[in-house]
């Protein structure tokens, strides 16, 4: 049902928010960099290239950033503003 009614961009945004424990008590956590774009693509039901496209888009819009300068060296920080992607129609 989710794949029928929600875009892959929204599904990726929701997955990142869930991985960051957004909405739970306390401050959202950093997503561990060990999760690959291939794994995210499988979770979302899209291709790795689409995940890469959306991750770059989210980064340019300031919704996410990479601590330590890159995905490989640090964690992925998910900002609460990413919630706008999920809520926007």
């Amino acid at each position: 049902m989710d794949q029928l009614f929600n875009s892959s961009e929204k599904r990726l945004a929701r997955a990142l928010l869930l991985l960051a424990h957004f909405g739970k008590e306390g401050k959202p956590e950093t997503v561990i960099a060990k999760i690959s774009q291939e794994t995210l693509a499988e979770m979302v039901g899209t291709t790795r290239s689409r995940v890469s496209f959306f991750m770059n888009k989210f980064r340019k819009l300031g919704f996410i950033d990479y601590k330590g300068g890159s995905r490989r060296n640090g964690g992925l920080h998910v900002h609460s503003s990413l919630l706008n992607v999920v809520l926007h129609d």
Side-chain angles (χ1 to χ4, degrees):
M1 290 292 274
D2 191 39
Q3 288 185 352
L4 291 174
F5 294 107
N6 293 307
S7 70
S8 54
E9 182 178 20
K10 285 186 180 184
R11 293 192 312 266
L12 176 61
R14 187 171 343 137
L16 292 172
L17 289 166
L18 289 171
L19 288 170
H21 302 286
F22 184 78
K24 307 272 184 189
E25 287 186 32
K27 189 176 176 183
E29 299 175 10
T30 298
V31 176
I32 305 298
K34 303 259 186 217
I35 191 162
S36 69
Q37 289 185 350
E38 290 83 5
T39 302
L40 285 171
E42 289 176 14
M43 290 171 60
V44 172
T46 191
T47 63
R48 191 217 46 87
S49 63
R50 293 300 292 163
V51 168
S52 179
F53 174 81
F54 292 130
M55 294 292 279
N56 285 325
K57 179 180 176 181
F58 294 162
R59 184 181 48 77
K60 287 176 185 173
L61 292 171
F63 296 145
I64 63 173
D65 63 62
Y66 299 109
K67 292 188 178 233
S70 73
R71 289 186 308 254
R72 299 186 198 292
N73 297 331
L76 174 67
H77 185 263
V78 178
H79 299 280
S80 60
S81 59
L82 184 61
L83 188 59
N84 293 331
V85 173
V86 176
L87 296 178
H88 186 263
D89 283 333

